[in-house]
Amino acid sequence: GAGVSQSPRYKVTKRGQDVALRCDPISGHVSLYWYRQALGQGPEFLTYFNYEAQQDKSGLPNDRFSAERPEGSISTLTIQRTEQRDSAMYRCASSQTGASTDTQYFGPGTRLTVL
Amino acid sequence: AQTVTQSQPEMSVQEAETVTLSCTYDTSENNYYLFWYKQPPSRQMILVIRQEAYKQQNATENRFSVNFQKAAKSFSLKISDSQLGDTAMYFCAFEANFGNEKLTFGTGTRLTIIP
């Protein structure tokens, strides 16, 4: 596609519900990254994939958070039993080969609000 | 672990003037990349400029240039002939070059261009 897309753009949910956030990277991009951005802060790394393999999940805050990219393209970030502190902008980025020389292109983000 | 510090939460400047945004970072790595990303009110994340640490020459992109001081671990962004469209949050980011290409962001500087 022309750019990284994410859906939904906005998600409001009640505490305790599960949510699934989707990222569709730029076509052919090998690497995909998830970040979380709290209001007034910079994005913080959550996890990343090369193809379908999850390379680093050190930024996931706890075991309620998980991510997958089963076919090496679209990725889903799932938050189980959501809590109010999970409210944030969740951003996805992709890069062509995953090398440090590559630029990460960001999607528009999903704004999650947990009531 | 790497840290990125932006000590100017907010700045404002008259249209057509020049403004410099500050960024310092801490790392034990010798090879890495530094970035400035722009986040306009639309909340997109747009790459403004990047700098490879092994290059002594400062990067430039049209009206945007950096002053990279490796020894001082400083990476400032200069915007010349500022325009109303430059109004945005600006984030400085660091990426190590050792196989995990996650970005570490600063807390951002909110820049307002005054007409």
Side-chain angles (χ1 to χ4, degrees):
Chain A
V4 179
S5 60
Q6 293 185 244
S7 61
R9 294 291 306 275
Y10 301 90
K11 177 70 177 179
V12 180
T13 190
K14 293 183 178 179
R15 184 165 51 97
Q17 297 294 306
D18 298 351
V19 296
L21 312 180
R22 172 182 165 133
C23 172
D24 197 345
I26 293 172
S27 179
H29 275 197
V30 167
S31 296
L32 184 148
Y33 308 79
W34 283 100
Y35 294 85
R36 179 170 71 173
Q37 185 176 12
L39 197 62
Q41 300 293 317
E44 291 183 322
F45 171 80
L46 295 177
T47 184
Y48 93 100
F49 296 82
N50 281 340
Y51 299 103
E52 71 282 359
Q54 191 170 22
Q55 299 294 320
D56 183 349
K57 55 181 181 179
S58 63
L60 295 176
N62 52 60
D63 60 7
R64 297 186 296 106
F65 288 73
S66 63
E68 63 175 8
R69 194 187 185 197
E71 298 179 359
S73 179
I74 293 168
S75 176
T76 302
L77 177 69
T78 300
I79 308 172
Q80 296 179 312
R81 306 180 301 282
T82 52
E83 300 177 5
Q84 286 185 329
R85 60 177 173 161
D86 300 334
S87 296
M89 176 76 83
Y90 289 83
R91 294 193 179 273
C92 172
S94 70
S95 68
Q96 191 166 8
T97 69
S100 299
T101 52
D102 283 349
T103 296
Q104 293 186 25
Y105 295 93
F106 282 82
T110 294
R111 181 177 295 283
L112 174 66
T113 302
V114 182
L115 302 176
Chain B
Q2 291 79 26
T3 59
V4 178
T5 301
Q6 293 180 251
S7 58
Q8 304 154 312
E10 294 187 18
M11 295 186 72
S12 60
V13 66
Q14 291 289 135
E15 190 177 6
E17 291 185 348
T18 295
V19 61
T20 299
L21 309 182
S22 301
C23 172
T24 58
Y25 58 94
D26 188 24
T27 183
S28 57
E29 300 298 322
N30 190 48
N31 294 321
Y32 48 87
Y33 298 82
L34 295 162
F35 305 83
W36 280 97
Y37 277 87
K38 170 184 177 181
Q39 190 172 80
S42 65
R43 302 216 72 193
Q44 282 277 17
M45 286 288 286
I46 303 165
L47 178 67
V48 175
I49 198 165
R50 63 178 282 156
Q51 173 81 42
E52 291 83 1
Y54 62 85
K55 289 186 177 179
Q56 294 188 348
Q57 185 174 6
N58 288 324
T60 62
E61 287 287 343
N62 300 313
R63 298 183 295 108
F64 299 87
S65 61
V66 300
N67 182 5
F68 173 48
Q69 302 290 328
K70 190 172 184 180
K73 296 181 180 175
S74 170
F75 181 62
S76 61
L77 174 70
K78 185 172 83 170
I79 305 174
S80 303
D81 185 28
S82 57
Q83 301 175 359
L84 296 179
D86 296 333
T87 292
M89 282 287 286
Y90 286 83
F91 292 98
C92 178
F94 173 101
E95 179 179 340
N97 183 23
F98 54 70
N100 184 343
E101 291 76 30
K102 66 181 182 181
L103 293 169
T104 300
F105 286 86
T107 52
T109 296
R110 182 176 301 281
L111 176 65
T112 301
I113 309 301
I114 303 167

XYZ file of all heavy atoms in Angstrom, chain B residues 3-66:
531
model
N 19.313 6.744 26.473
C 18.324 7.749 26.871
C 18.451 8.948 25.948
O 19.540 9.259 25.453
C 18.512 8.207 28.318
O 19.818 8.755 28.471
C 18.331 7.049 29.300
N 17.339 9.607 25.733
C 17.280 10.800 24.900
C 16.581 11.892 25.689
O 15.499 11.658 26.225
C 16.517 10.517 23.586
C 16.414 11.782 22.752
C 17.211 9.409 22.798
N 17.190 13.064 25.740
C 16.659 14.154 26.538
C 16.409 15.377 25.673
O 17.298 15.840 24.954
C 17.637 14.530 27.671
O 17.863 13.379 28.494
C 17.067 15.654 28.532
N 15.179 15.870 25.757
C 14.841 17.137 25.117
C 14.431 18.081 26.233
O 13.404 17.872 26.868
C 13.712 16.936 24.108
C 14.123 16.089 22.916
C 12.997 15.898 21.940
O 12.444 14.806 21.805
N 12.647 16.957 21.222
N 15.222 19.100 26.463
C 15.048 19.934 27.650
C 14.128 21.120 27.429
O 13.872 21.885 28.364
C 16.413 20.431 28.122
O 17.039 21.158 27.084
N 13.636 21.270 26.213
C 12.754 22.403 25.903
C 11.345 21.868 25.645
O 11.051 21.431 24.540
C 13.267 23.149 24.664
C 14.685 23.628 24.753
C 15.314 23.763 23.365
O 15.221 22.862 22.548
N 15.949 24.896 23.101
N 10.462 21.902 26.624
C 9.109 21.378 26.387
C 8.346 22.172 25.334
O 7.582 21.595 24.558
C 8.436 21.507 27.751
C 9.537 21.689 28.720
C 10.670 22.344 27.983
N 8.549 23.498 25.317
C 7.814 24.338 24.377
C 8.719 25.448 23.860
O 9.558 25.972 24.599
C 6.587 24.971 25.044
C 5.531 23.982 25.461
C 4.266 24.661 25.962
O 4.083 25.850 25.668
O 3.463 23.992 26.639
N 8.495 25.798 22.599
C 9.187 26.941 22.014
C 8.244 27.616 21.041
O 7.344 26.970 20.475
C 10.455 26.505 21.276
C 11.535 25.920 22.160
S 13.039 25.609 21.239
C 13.619 27.282 20.965
N 8.475 28.901 20.846
C 7.708 29.613 19.828
C 8.635 30.603 19.129
O 9.596 31.092 19.719
C 6.511 30.326 20.444
O 6.933 31.266 21.395
N 8.328 30.854 17.881
C 9.160 31.741 17.084
C 8.297 32.400 16.030
O 7.279 31.833 15.604
C 10.325 30.945 16.450
C 9.812 29.944 15.429
C 11.354 31.867 15.816
N 8.679 33.592 15.623
C 7.963 34.295 14.564
C 8.229 33.612 13.215
O 9.322 33.094 12.959
C 8.409 35.749 14.483
C 8.003 36.615 15.656
C 6.517 36.902 15.696
O 5.874 36.814 16.723
N 5.957 37.227 14.540
N 7.211 33.652 12.392
C 7.339 33.134 11.032
C 8.543 33.781 10.343
O 8.816 34.976 10.548
C 6.057 33.451 10.266
C 5.931 32.788 8.918
C 4.586 33.093 8.262
O 3.825 33.907 8.823
O 4.310 32.532 7.189
N 9.262 32.958 9.580
C 10.438 33.370 8.800
C 11.719 33.423 9.642
O 12.811 33.561 9.072
C 10.242 34.685 8.076
N 11.615 33.313 10.942
C 12.811 33.303 11.763
C 13.410 31.901 11.819
O 12.822 30.930 11.365
C 12.495 33.813 13.175
C 12.161 35.289 13.200
C 11.968 35.807 14.611
O 11.878 34.996 15.545
O 11.895 37.038 14.774
N 14.582 31.828 12.424
C 15.293 30.563 12.604
C 15.157 30.104 14.049
O 15.204 30.921 14.972
C 16.773 30.724 12.246
O 16.878 31.017 10.849
C 17.556 29.449 12.552
N 14.965 28.811 14.219
C 14.813 28.265 15.571
C 15.653 26.991 15.679
O 15.811 26.248 14.701
C 13.322 27.970 15.884
C 12.741 26.948 14.925
C 13.141 27.537 17.323
N 16.188 26.775 16.865
C 17.003 25.582 17.119
C 16.425 24.790 18.283
O 16.205 25.351 19.367
C 18.464 25.962 17.423
O 19.018 26.647 16.285
C 19.296 24.720 17.697
N 16.179 23.520 18.043
C 15.668 22.619 19.066
C 16.810 21.741 19.559
O 17.564 21.195 18.755
C 14.541 21.742 18.497
C 13.419 22.456 17.762
C 12.358 21.467 17.301
C 12.810 23.542 18.613
N 16.888 21.565 20.856
C 18.006 20.838 21.459
C 17.666 19.385 21.751
O 16.520 19.050 22.043
C 18.429 21.518 22.764
O 18.804 22.851 22.535
N 18.694 18.556 21.679
C 18.548 17.142 22.027
C 19.899 16.630 22.493
O 20.924 16.889 21.850
C 18.071 16.339 20.822
S 18.054 14.538 21.058
N 19.910 15.948 23.608
C 21.113 15.242 24.044
C 20.756 13.788 24.270
O 19.594 13.441 24.472
C 21.702 15.834 25.328
O 20.714 15.786 26.363
C 22.155 17.271 25.121
N 21.747 12.938 24.223
C 21.491 11.504 24.359
C 22.644 10.875 25.123
O 23.715 11.467 25.267
C 21.311 10.850 22.986
C 22.489 11.024 22.079
C 23.494 10.067 22.000
C 22.626 12.179 21.308
C 24.589 10.248 21.184
C 23.716 12.366 20.491
C 24.690 11.406 20.428
O 25.779 11.593 19.624
N 22.398 9.694 25.611
C 23.420 8.972 26.348
C 23.491 7.554 25.805
O 22.468 6.864 25.725
C 23.092 8.955 27.847
C 24.237 8.386 28.665
O 25.386 8.428 28.188
O 23.977 7.898 29.786
N 24.677 7.135 25.430
C 24.867 5.785 24.928
C 26.325 5.389 25.075
O 27.200 6.252 25.094
C 24.448 5.672 23.451
O 24.582 4.314 23.029
C 25.300 6.553 22.560
N 26.543 4.095 25.156
C 27.907 3.585 25.152
C 28.292 3.058 23.776
O 29.416 2.615 23.574
C 28.056 2.465 26.194
O 27.127 1.429 25.926
N 27.335 3.108 22.850
C 27.588 2.628 21.499
C 28.418 3.636 20.717
O 28.396 4.831 21.000
C 26.269 2.372 20.775
C 25.379 1.346 21.454
C 26.030 -0.021 21.514
O 26.714 -0.389 20.532
O 25.850 -0.709 22.521
N 29.117 3.143 19.715
C 29.900 4.023 18.857
C 29.212 4.244 17.517
O 29.379 5.287 16.891
C 31.292 3.421 18.638
C 32.227 4.406 17.968
O 32.316 5.562 18.375
N 32.914 3.954 16.938
N 28.456 3.243 17.100
C 27.735 3.352 15.828
C 26.238 3.403 16.090
O 25.691 2.498 16.730
C 28.058 2.162 14.924
C 29.510 2.177 14.493
O 30.069 3.224 14.206
N 30.127 1.014 14.475
N 25.610 4.438 15.604
C 24.184 4.593 15.839
C 23.639 5.641 14.868
O 24.380 6.220 14.064
C 23.904 5.005 17.291
C 24.746 6.153 17.800
C 24.347 7.484 17.606
C 25.946 5.919 18.461
C 25.130 8.525 18.057
C 26.730 6.966 18.922
C 26.310 8.266 18.723
O 27.087 9.302 19.179
N 22.334 5.841 14.958
C 21.650 6.795 14.094
C 20.793 7.709 14.964
O 20.264 7.294 15.998
C 20.761 6.065 13.077
C 21.546 5.163 12.160
C 21.921 3.883 12.554
C 21.930 5.595 10.897
C 22.657 3.058 11.728
C 22.668 4.773 10.050
C 23.023 3.513 10.483
O 23.764 2.694 9.655
N 20.657 8.918 14.514
C 19.839 9.897 15.220
C 18.818 10.473 14.246
O 19.103 10.635 13.058
C 20.716 11.015 15.785
C 21.698 10.570 16.864
C 22.796 11.608 17.053
C 20.972 10.323 18.184
N 17.654 10.783 14.767
C 16.544 11.234 13.933
C 15.817 12.397 14.602
O 15.791 12.521 15.830
C 15.509 10.103 13.750
C 16.066 8.823 13.210
C 16.669 7.905 14.060
C 15.973 8.522 11.869
C 17.187 6.708 13.576
C 16.482 7.321 11.378
C 17.081 6.427 12.233
N 15.205 13.190 13.767
C 14.178 14.123 14.220
C 12.888 13.755 13.484
O 12.868 13.662 12.249
C 14.547 15.571 13.921
C 15.510 16.147 14.914
C 16.860 16.250 14.798
C 15.179 16.720 16.186
N 17.399 16.831 15.914
C 16.382 17.142 16.782
C 13.970 16.935 16.866
C 16.431 17.754 18.038
C 14.027 17.536 18.108
C 15.234 17.937 18.681
N 11.831 13.548 14.287
C 10.503 13.290 13.750
C 9.607 14.466 14.120
O 9.719 15.053 15.193
C 9.901 12.007 14.336
C 10.340 10.724 13.665
C 11.502 10.076 14.067
C 9.591 10.151 12.645
C 11.899 8.884 13.463
C 9.980 8.961 12.040
C 11.133 8.340 12.454
O 11.518 7.155 11.861
N 8.693 14.749 13.215
C 7.716 15.815 13.405
C 6.336 15.194 13.596
O 5.970 14.258 12.871
C 7.719 16.709 12.162
C 6.615 17.730 12.078
C 6.710 18.467 10.738
C 5.582 19.452 10.555
N 5.661 20.150 9.251
N 5.603 15.706 14.573
C 4.240 15.255 14.801
C 3.313 16.470 14.777
O 3.158 17.177 15.777
C 4.139 14.528 16.145
C 2.810 13.822 16.362
C 2.835 12.960 17.630
O 2.683 13.468 18.732
N 3.037 11.674 17.453
N 2.700 16.736 13.626
C 1.788 17.886 13.515
C 0.486 17.603 14.264
O 0.313 16.518 14.819
C 1.572 17.999 11.999
C 1.832 16.625 11.475
C 2.868 16.008 12.377
N -0.416 18.560 14.282
C -1.697 18.352 14.985
C -2.457 17.120 14.513
O -3.244 16.552 15.255
C -2.456 19.644 14.693
C -1.377 20.664 14.533
C -0.246 19.953 13.844
N -2.229 16.701 13.303
C -2.868 15.479 12.807
C -2.341 14.230 13.511
O -2.916 13.146 13.379
C -2.620 15.326 11.306
O -1.233 15.124 11.062
N -1.252 14.367 14.255
C -0.619 13.303 15.059
C 0.056 12.233 14.216
O 0.389 11.171 14.725
C -1.596 12.701 16.057
C -2.179 13.738 17.020
C -2.387 13.183 18.390
N -1.132 12.962 19.092
C -1.012 12.256 20.216
N -2.062 11.703 20.756
N 0.157 12.108 20.798
N 0.281 12.532 12.943
C 1.155 11.662 12.154
C 2.576 11.782 12.684
O 2.920 12.742 13.355
C 1.129 12.088 10.685
C -0.093 11.640 9.921
C 0.047 10.209 9.423
O 0.883 9.455 9.888
N -0.809 9.810 8.489
N 3.404 10.807 12.413
C 4.838 10.862 12.747
C 5.591 10.910 11.438
O 5.569 9.952 10.667
C 5.263 9.637 13.558
C 4.792 9.638 14.978
S 5.652 10.829 16.019
C 7.225 10.018 16.218
N 6.255 12.026 11.197
C 6.901 12.262 9.906
C 8.397 12.438 10.132
O 8.809 13.269 10.936
C 6.316 13.521 9.243
C 4.791 13.376 9.085
C 6.972 13.771 7.895
C 4.084 14.678 8.786
N 9.197 11.681 9.413
C 10.645 11.829 9.523
C 11.074 13.155 8.907
O 10.728 13.462 7.767
C 11.352 10.673 8.825
C 12.880 10.745 8.829
C 13.410 10.581 10.249
C 13.475 9.695 7.909
N 11.819 13.924 9.673
C 12.337 15.207 9.192
C 13.752 15.042 8.657
O 14.070 15.499 7.548
C 12.319 16.252 10.329
C 12.969 17.550 9.869
C 10.895 16.499 10.811
N 14.605 14.387 9.441
C 16.013 14.303 9.076
C 16.663 13.197 9.889
O 16.202 12.873 10.985
C 16.703 15.672 9.326
C 18.020 15.794 8.564
C 16.872 15.939 10.807
C 18.523 17.241 8.493
N 17.734 12.607 9.329
C 18.475 11.570 10.047
C 19.969 11.815 9.906
O 20.417 12.436 8.931
C 18.112 10.176 9.545
C 18.459 9.933 8.085
C 18.112 8.507 7.688
N 19.114 7.559 8.164
C 18.871 6.264 8.365
N 17.671 5.770 8.170
N 19.819 5.462 8.764
N 20.698 11.307 10.881
C 22.153 11.493 10.902
C 22.812 10.185 11.295
O 22.414 9.565 12.289
C 22.519 12.580 11.926
C 24.009 12.754 12.179
C 24.698 13.589 11.112
O 24.167 14.597 10.668
N 25.886 13.176 10.715
N 23.788 9.755 10.524
C 24.574 8.582 10.891
C 25.745 9.030 11.756
O 26.456 9.984 11.392
C 25.103 7.872 9.632
C 24.030 7.188 8.795
C 23.297 8.120 7.848
O 23.612 9.325 7.809
O 22.390 7.643 7.154
N 25.972 8.361 12.855
C 27.006 8.793 13.797
C 28.403 8.734 13.209
O 29.299 9.472 13.634
C 26.942 7.949 15.069
N 28.616 7.858 12.232
C 29.952 7.737 11.658
C 30.257 8.840 10.649
O 31.392 8.975 10.197
C 30.130 6.368 11.003
C 29.201 6.087 9.845
C 29.498 6.510 8.557
C 28.022 5.386 10.045
C 28.646 6.247 7.507
C 27.159 5.115 8.997
C 27.482 5.547 7.728
O 26.629 5.287 6.681
N 29.255 9.622 10.300
C 29.457 10.722 9.356
C 29.722 12.016 10.120
O 28.940 12.384 11.003
C 28.235 10.902 8.457
C 28.046 9.789 7.438
C 26.904 10.119 6.499
C 26.750 9.033 5.433
N 25.619 9.318 4.512
N 30.795 12.674 9.788
C 31.107 13.929 10.460
C 30.297 15.081 9.906
O 30.035 16.060 10.610
C 32.610 14.209 10.342
C 33.467 13.212 11.098
C 34.938 13.621 11.122
O 35.341 14.521 10.403
N 35.709 12.946 11.948
N 29.901 14.945 8.646
C 29.150 16.034 8.028
C 27.735 16.063 8.567
O 27.048 15.040 8.626
C 29.130 15.860 6.519
C 28.485 17.012 5.779
C 28.621 16.876 4.271
O 29.107 15.862 3.772
N 28.193 17.893 3.554
N 27.275 17.258 8.924
C 25.925 17.416 9.436
C 24.908 17.244 8.312
O 25.068 17.779 7.211
C 25.757 18.796 10.068
C 26.488 18.908 11.385
O 26.559 17.950 12.151
N 27.043 20.073 11.648
N 23.830 16.536 8.609
C 22.781 16.309 7.617
C 21.972 17.584 7.391
O 21.770 18.387 8.320
C 21.864 15.187 8.088
N 21.512 17.759 6.170
C 20.624 18.867 5.830
C 19.522 18.358 4.908
O 19.753 17.464 4.089
C 21.369 20.013 5.123
O 21.902 19.518 3.888
C 22.504 20.546 5.973
N 18.344 18.927 5.092
C 17.188 18.643 4.232
C 16.439 19.950 4.044
O 15.622 20.333 4.858
C 16.267 17.585 4.872
C 16.781 16.191 4.870
C 16.753 15.532 3.500
O 16.037 16.027 2.600
O 17.462 14.527 3.323
N 16.752 20.624 2.960
C 16.105 21.902 2.649
C 16.291 22.875 3.816
O 17.407 23.248 4.126
C 14.632 21.662 2.303
C 14.480 20.752 1.110
O 15.128 20.928 0.096
N 13.631 19.742 1.239
N 15.200 23.293 4.456
C 15.301 24.281 5.532
C 15.736 23.675 6.863
O 15.915 24.404 7.852
C 13.950 24.976 5.708
C 13.473 25.752 4.487
C 12.149 26.465 4.766
N 11.063 25.518 5.018
C 10.510 25.304 6.204
N 10.964 25.953 7.271
N 9.515 24.453 6.332
N 15.874 22.370 6.917
C 16.196 21.676 8.158
C 17.653 21.212 8.136
O 18.101 20.618 7.154
C 15.277 20.468 8.344
C 13.820 20.826 8.437
C 13.047 20.959 7.282
C 13.225 21.039 9.661
C 11.704 21.289 7.373
C 11.884 21.367 9.755
C 11.125 21.498 8.606
N 18.353 21.475 9.206
C 19.722 21.002 9.330
C 19.982 20.628 10.782
O 19.234 21.020 11.684
C 20.719 22.069 8.868
O 20.597 23.229 9.664
N 21.022 19.829 10.974
C 21.355 19.424 12.329
C 22.763 19.888 12.668
O 23.592 20.121 11.796
C 21.240 17.896 12.519
C 19.820 17.424 12.244
C 22.253 17.156 11.676
